[in-house]
Structure formats: structure tokens, C-alpha cells
Amino acid sequence: MNDLTMQASRLAVVLEEDPDAAATLSLQLRTLGMESRYCRQGQHLIGEVVARRPHLVIMALEFGQHDGFAMLRRLAESGYRGRVLLLSGVERKIVRIAERLGQALGLTMLPSLDKPMRLSDLRRRLESQAADGEPDALHPCRLEELDRAFARQEITLHYQPQFELTTGRLSGVEALVRWAHPDAGLLVPGRFLPLLTPDQNRHLTRRVLQLALEDAHRWRRSGLSLSLSVNVTADDLMCPELLSLVSEGRRSLGDAPVVLEITETAAMEDELLGGEVAARLHLSGLEVSVDDFGVGFSSLARLQLLPISELKVDRSFVSRLLEDPQDAAIVEAVALLGRRLGIRVVAEGIEDLACLPTLERFGCTHVQGFGLGRPMPAAEILALAGAQSPIRASSAASGASPGSTP
């Protein structure tokens, strides 16, 4: 990594009309090992982004003649590839609209930060990532590098642990793809997935499934049976080769479920899940999970008709569960919906274990997030299964006792 990239990886550009708030942020960023530059005008921000390629842009939603929505569009037009953190003192619904706009524009949006800013909250935001929860290196990947990555077997997997809420036991894992780049180190999907051609994307999906099924087979031989979740696209589900690969690979896994995760938007917009492919998945013993549930605008009538085994509540609601009554109401409603439909409800993005009793009371069945376990290589999963459950440890510390599976 050259000097310019190293400097960019430690630089944040702050767009904030209030100089006192900007000064507070600068001090907090310095405490966390980052330098910052302060901008009071949008044009100044764009100039800094183009000239310095910062790792992070922190911006308020309301300022001057331009609002944060216009600035998000200008950031995307400038080709910015770092992260964006919104500062807000406005209504939470407005912030969510801005976050979704940024994501639609191809920006990497971190969970927003309310004013007044606290150092602990800022640290948590910087340790998270919208795509899949891990920070990544800045690296301008090229298509030919991606082809070589496949040939050299540089594509690898880490696994996000998932726990059964009532018992605290490790119950499953979500496979997360990584690129072990020879120069830039371990890259997360946000650095290379947007560059994939359709053929490369299909190749990547096949490789991820192959590696995940091989790891699950090794865990099974060691006496550990876990559900295995793999993220796929709507196009992937239409590929007969994928269905054949998964069906063949799961034969050695016994009763352990293989779950194909698709985002809520794709699940609700694509008719394929209600037709032939859905029926074939069901007949092959595979399960379908709707990821990021609550972010899109689902038709509940269609949801009832889809062969879904699991709903994953988006982290944006779970992370503010104890602070925002509206977020809590959404999580509770999704959990109730899951119970009525007879499907699992997984709460994502658990960072503060204090929210676990509330999630259990609402009826969520499974949880995952940094507070319980970060994504890890396959070799570490066995050790995690043999260690004390973080949920049980938290219950012991609080004097509560975990329940039993209904």
C-alpha cells in the first residue's frame, strides 16, 4: 500500500455547518486514529474528495443552500468509493430515506450518527459496514485481477456465527466471501462485487457454494451440525447448475439446513420465487431466507405465498432497538409475523447484548452480529462451538437464565 493510500485510509472529510460540532468530531476522530478536514460548503467537500480520496465522508443532512440528499448525489457523481456517515438531528424516517438513496447510488453507507455525537457511538459506526459488517482496504480492483483471483484460488470464505436465542447455542453460520488479494490484503465484497461481469458473478457463486459445502462437511465429520446460509441473487436461483450443486453437496450434511439468502427487494419483485424455481428448491430440501427484511416495501400477501423459511430483520432496526420506539415496534411486528407464518426470525447486527432479552420477548428465534461473534475462518468455528456461548455468558453476568427452545 503506497503512502497516498495509507493517508487516505486515515482521512475523514467532515461537512458540517456548526463549527462546534465539527470540532467535537475532529477530536473524536483523532482519538480513534484518524485525521480530519473540515468543510462548511458542499463544493469544498467535493473538491476534497476528488483531491484526497478520503476513506470516510461525514456529513450533516441539513445545511446551507443544499441538503444532504443533493450532496449524496454529487458524491456519487464524483466517483467516491469510500464510506459515508450521516449526522442527523432530524426525524429518523428522513435519515432512512437518505441512507437508502445513498445505497441506491452505489455509496457505502454506514449507520447514521445522532447529534450530539458520543465517542463510543462513533467507534461502533466506524467498525461496522453496510455490506456485511467488516472494514475493508481501499484498492482499485480490475477485471483482469478478478480473473486471476479465481485461477489462483484467492477467493476464500469467512463465517458469521448465528446463535439460537433461547438456548444460546451456536446453531448456524452465514458464508461471507473474501478476496485474499496478494497486495491489498483481505478484501470484503464491497471492493470487488460491483466490478463483476455476469459470468464472473455466476463463477463466484459456484465457488462460494463449493467452499461452504466443503467446510460444512468437515464440521459435520467433527460432530458439529450447523445450518449453512449462502447469499445468492435472483439470477443465481434461476441457474439449474446451482440447484444441482447444492442438492448434491448437502447429501453429506444430514438434516443440517442449507439456506439460500436473497434480499427482500429481489424476493418481492422477482416472480421466479413464486414459480418453478421455488417449487424445485422446496422439493430438493433447500430453504430460502429473506435478508434485510423491513428495508424494502413488501407485499404481505406475496410474502405469505413464498416458500420462505426465514426472515432476517435488518440491522438498521436492531441497532437502535432500545433507543427508538418505532424501530422496536418494527422488530416486534416482524417477529410476530414470523411466528404466525411458522418461520424463523433472525435479528442481525447485534452489537449490544443488552437488547437480547427484548428480542427474545418479541419472539425472535436467532441472532447474529459483532457483539456475539465476528466473521471468522472455517477453522475457528469448531473452537467457537466448544466455547461458552456469549449469550449464556451475558445471561450469567446479568443474573438471568436463558430459556429453552419451544
Side-chain angles (χ1 to χ4, degrees):
M1 189 177 291
N2 59 38
D3 291 342
L4 180 60
T5 303
M6 286 291 291
Q7 292 173 10
S9 69
R10 295 192 298 265
L11 178 63
V13 176
V14 178
L15 178 61
E16 168 60 63
E17 200 171 37
D18 182 356
D20 291 334
T24 299
L25 261 178
S26 177
L27 179 60
Q28 292 175 343
L29 288 166
R30 189 174 306 166
T31 302
L32 298 176
M34 297 189 68
E35 298 299 322
S36 62
R37 294 185 66 85
Y38 170 43
C39 305
R40 296 191 65 177
Q41 297 181 355
Q43 190 59 42
H44 185 195
L45 169 70
I46 299 301
E48 290 288 320
V49 166
V50 171
R52 299 179 182 274
R53 293 182 297 168
H55 185 51
L56 176 67
V57 167
I58 302 178
M59 52 180 279
L61 277 177
E62 62 281 5
F63 58 88
Q65 297 180 342
H66 303 282
D67 59 38
F69 291 88
M71 287 309 307
L72 288 172
R73 294 188 180 278
R74 293 182 66 184
L75 273 178
E77 291 167 359
S78 74
Y80 177 63
R81 291 294 178 265
R83 301 177 186 179
V84 180
L85 173 61
L86 298 179
L87 298 176
S88 175
V90 301
E91 188 178 356
R92 181 66 180 161
K93 292 178 181 178
I94 303 301
V95 180
R96 286 210 181 102
I97 294 173
E99 290 173 340
R100 294 191 65 196
L101 172 64
Q103 292 167 358
L105 293 171
L107 298 171
T108 301
M109 306 297 296
L110 298 178
S112 62
L113 185 64
D114 289 340
K115 298 178 181 178
M117 297 78 66
R118 295 186 301 178
L119 179 61
S120 59
D121 292 336
L122 178 60
R123 178 183 287 108
R124 282 198 295 269
R125 300 305 188 272
L126 298 186
E127 288 177 349
S128 64
Q129 185 187 5
D132 60 5
E134 265 199 0
D136 58 321
L138 294 175
H139 185 76
C141 305
R142 295 180 291 274
L143 290 177
E144 58 270 22
E145 287 186 283
L146 290 168
D147 287 330
R148 287 197 296 269
F150 290 125
R152 296 174 181 175
Q153 297 187 343
E154 294 170 357
I155 300 301
T156 185
L157 298 182
H158 279 194
Y159 293 93
Q160 176 77 58
Q162 187 178 106
F163 296 87
E164 190 175 61
L165 184 52
T166 54
T167 65
R169 72 178 183 89
L170 177 67
S171 58
V173 293
E174 178 183 351
L176 303 172
V177 66
R178 298 289 186 264
W179 178 4
H181 194 282
D183 299 321
L186 199 65
L187 302 181
V188 296
R191 281 302 136 213
F192 57 92
L193 285 189
L195 300 178
L196 293 178
T197 65
D199 284 343
Q200 287 176 326
N201 190 74
R202 285 190 289 271
H203 189 179
L204 178 65
T205 299
R206 290 195 298 270
R207 181 60 176 160
V208 168
L209 279 167
Q210 180 184 9
L211 292 174
L213 289 167
E214 289 173 356
D215 287 334
H217 180 60
R218 281 190 286 269
W219 296 328
R220 176 77 176 180
R221 286 188 303 178
S222 299
L224 180 61
S225 179
L226 299 173
S227 68
L228 174 66
S229 299
V230 179
N231 294 277
V232 297
T233 67
D235 289 338
D236 290 329
L237 289 178
M238 294 189 67
C239 178
E241 184 181 353
L242 176 139
L243 184 59
S244 176
L245 174 63
V246 179
S247 298
E248 182 178 347
R250 72 177 299 273
R251 290 173 188 162
S252 63
L253 303 183
D255 297 331
V258 175
V259 184
L260 303 180
E261 290 192 15
I262 186 168
T263 62
E264 177 186 9
T265 302
M268 296 304 146
E269 291 181 353
D270 205 302
E271 293 293 340
L272 69 91
L273 280 178
E276 177 187 353
V277 174
R280 294 181 65 196
L281 288 171
H282 179 75
L283 291 174
S284 300
L286 303 177
E287 298 186 3
V288 176
S289 171
V290 177
D291 198 9
D292 302 333
F293 191 77
V295 176
F297 296 94
S298 302
S299 163
L300 296 183
R302 289 200 61 198
L303 180 63
Q304 182 185 18
L305 298 176
L306 296 177
I308 290 172
S309 303
E310 177 180 278
L311 294 177
K312 301 188 81 171
V313 187
D314 187 71
R315 69 184 68 235
S316 62
F317 302 110
V318 177
S319 64
R320 298 176 54 83
L321 177 70
L322 300 180
E323 306 168 20
D324 191 325
Q326 292 186 351
D327 286 353
I330 290 173
V331 176
E332 185 175 18
V334 174
L336 176 61
L337 179 64
R339 290 204 306 274
R340 295 292 174 86
L341 295 178
I343 58 181
R344 297 186 300 272
V345 177
V346 182
E348 296 186 287
I350 304 296
E351 294 182 358
D352 183 359
L353 301 191
C355 72
L356 295 181
T358 301
L359 291 171
E360 185 175 2
R361 188 174 74 251
F362 285 170
C364 291
T365 58
H366 294 74
V367 287
Q368 66 181 66
F370 276 15
L372 297 164
R374 301 175 73 92
M376 62 187 66
E380 298 180 16
I381 292 295
L382 287 173
L384 179 66
Q388 183 183 22
S389 161
I391 295 178
R392 289 186 175 275
S394 174
S395 298
S398 64
S401 59
S404 56
T405 306

